[in-house]
Amino acid sequence: MNEFYPEIEPYNHFLLSVDQQHEIYVEECGNPNGQAILFIHGGPGGGCSTNDRRFFDPEKYRIVLFDQRGCGRSLPHGCLENNETKLLVEDIEKIRTKLNIDTWHVFGGSWGSTLSLVYAQTHPSRVEGLILRGIFLGRPEDTNWAFSGGGATRIFPDFWQEYLNELPEGTGQANVKAAYDIMTGDDKALALKVAKAWSIWEIRCCTLIPNQDFVDAATGDEAAWTLARHEAHFMINDCFLSDNQILANCDKIKDIPTTIVHGRYDIVCPFDNAFLLHKALPNSKLIVSEASGHASIEPNTKHHLIAATKAAIK
């Protein structure tokens, strides 16, 4: 079973100004002369962790990680203005140009898979390969599944009820728009309360086996504030994507080597997301991570992702 590579520290990190408002945190790890690979985190609003560096052989890869607009170490923290998918894609290109990278591999999970796919479809000549995990296609039905009383709430009704208990009107506000209005409203204490409840609901659903340490690590005040508010912001805007945009544009990336790893029992992003993507990319490799949910740290999923990064080394 593949395990994480040893912990490493960045050899370079900086804030990159991408417009008059936003600065995004960028770091490089591993071998400066290695094969370039970009890690795209989930959420939206999740930010990168130290373990995210560890999917890649540091002797072989030049590992680039960044925190998307308004989250993690990017500034201003929590900012939702000028924060949409097209601009995030532009940010990725600005990072590539800044680092003088011609082409690179792209590795993304959950929302990171969404952004990876949109980036690749926008700039296919810059992407040597895709390694994707926990596919989220960004369609309204994908949002409703987890956050508007969809199928996930039937699988974890107890967790969902605990989320509803934190909403002033309970079931009457069991939709993304209602939560977004609270989390962007004037009552900051209530906004944070709902943001934490939203984050706890989602993160509890991420692993097949309950993992309280995993939940605690991802739902502190700062992390919950950006995760929940960013997710709601993108979701009420249909992730700033056109109708079925990703599947409709797969012809643009049909020749890019693509590995898809998806947990069989993923409750946050159901397996049919990955299955549909694989059908739209018949040359892709679909790996079903058995006995796994959504999280990248689950043993089988971690194993398959590290195997994919090993296989991509030239």
Side-chain angles (χ1 to χ4, degrees):
M1 188 74 73
N2 288 314
E3 294 294 339
F4 277 138
Y5 290 97
E7 292 185 6
I8 51 174
E9 293 296 322
Y11 64 80
N12 182 32
H13 62 92
F14 56 93
L15 285 171
L16 176 64
S17 178
V18 290
D19 63 17
Q20 293 183 341
Q21 186 175 26
H22 288 276
E23 295 180 287
I24 56 174
Y25 173 84
V26 182
E27 67 179 36
E28 294 184 273
C29 305
N31 181 355
N33 299 311
Q35 184 168 301
I37 190 162
L38 176 70
F39 179 95
I40 303 183
H41 69 70
C48 291
S49 73
T50 56
N51 276 342
D52 294 334
R53 308 164 181 163
R54 301 175 64 195
F55 288 100
F56 318 99
D57 185 338
E59 295 184 1
K60 303 291 181 63
Y61 278 110
R62 179 184 180 185
I63 309 157
V64 181
L65 305 94
F66 75 106
D67 292 335
Q68 294 159 35
R69 294 188 178 208
C71 65
R73 291 148 291 188
S74 294
L75 300 173
H77 184 77
C79 182
L80 301 177
E81 297 175 12
N82 296 316
N83 201 333
E84 58 184 82
T85 305
K86 180 180 72 173
L87 297 176
L88 300 184
V89 168
E90 291 176 4
D91 292 348
I92 293 171
E93 271 297 273
K94 289 173 182 175
I95 294 169
R96 187 189 62 77
T97 301
K98 171 72 174 178
L99 297 178
N100 296 311
I101 293 171
D102 184 39
T103 61
W104 50 8
H105 289 259
V106 178
F107 178 113
S110 194
W111 162 255
S113 74
T114 319
L115 190 53
S116 296
L117 286 160
V118 176
Y119 172 74
Q121 290 172 350
T122 307
H123 300 283
S125 66
R126 298 302 182 183
V127 180
E128 291 190 39
L130 289 165
I131 299 172
L132 308 173
R133 187 266 313 166
I135 305 301
F136 177 66
L137 295 175
R139 304 166 300 170
E141 58 262 48
D142 304 318
T143 294
N144 294 338
W145 168 266
F147 289 100
S148 292
T153 68
R154 298 181 64 185
I155 296 169
F156 291 120
D158 48 345
F159 296 167
W160 181 244
Q161 186 61 56
E162 291 182 35
Y163 168 68
L164 295 179
N165 291 345
E166 300 301 315
L167 300 174
E169 298 176 19
T171 304
Q173 292 175 310
N175 60 81
V176 174
K177 181 61 166 62
Y180 175 78
D181 288 344
I182 294 171
M183 291 189 290
T184 56
D186 294 332
D187 188 336
K188 299 305 181 187
L190 178 60
L192 178 59
K193 178 183 178 183
V194 170
K196 283 184 68 71
W198 171 298
S199 300
I200 290 169
W201 150 249
E202 177 182 354
I203 302 303
R204 290 176 89 181
C205 296
C206 278
T207 55
L208 182 64
I209 305 300
N211 186 331
Q212 191 60 45
D213 290 340
F214 178 71
V215 174
D216 291 343
T219 56
D221 287 359
E222 269 199 9
W225 183 250
T226 56
L227 181 69
R229 293 171 77 251
H230 279 64
E231 286 185 342
H233 167 70
F234 275 76
M235 287 175 179
I236 65 166
N237 288 290
D238 294 326
C239 294
F240 300 95
L241 300 174
S242 60
D243 185 44
N244 206 32
Q245 178 176 326
I246 289 173
L247 294 180
N249 286 278
C250 278
D251 61 302
K252 297 178 180 178
I253 58 171
K254 60 183 175 58
D255 296 323
I256 296 176
T258 300
T259 300
I260 303 165
V261 177
H262 203 105
R264 170 71 75 184
Y265 304 105
D266 189 334
I267 304 305
V268 177
C269 298
F271 178 64
D272 69 334
N273 283 262
F275 192 72
L276 289 170
L277 179 64
H278 177 55
K279 287 178 67 177
L281 292 172
N283 293 325
S284 65
K285 182 178 182 181
L286 175 60
I287 300 170
V288 182
S289 184
E290 303 292 354
S292 300
H294 184 64
S296 62
I297 63 159
E298 292 177 285
N300 286 340
T301 299
K302 185 200 311 181
H303 166 77
H304 290 306
L305 289 172
I306 293 172
T309 66
K310 289 180 178 179
I313 295 172
K314 293 180 179 179

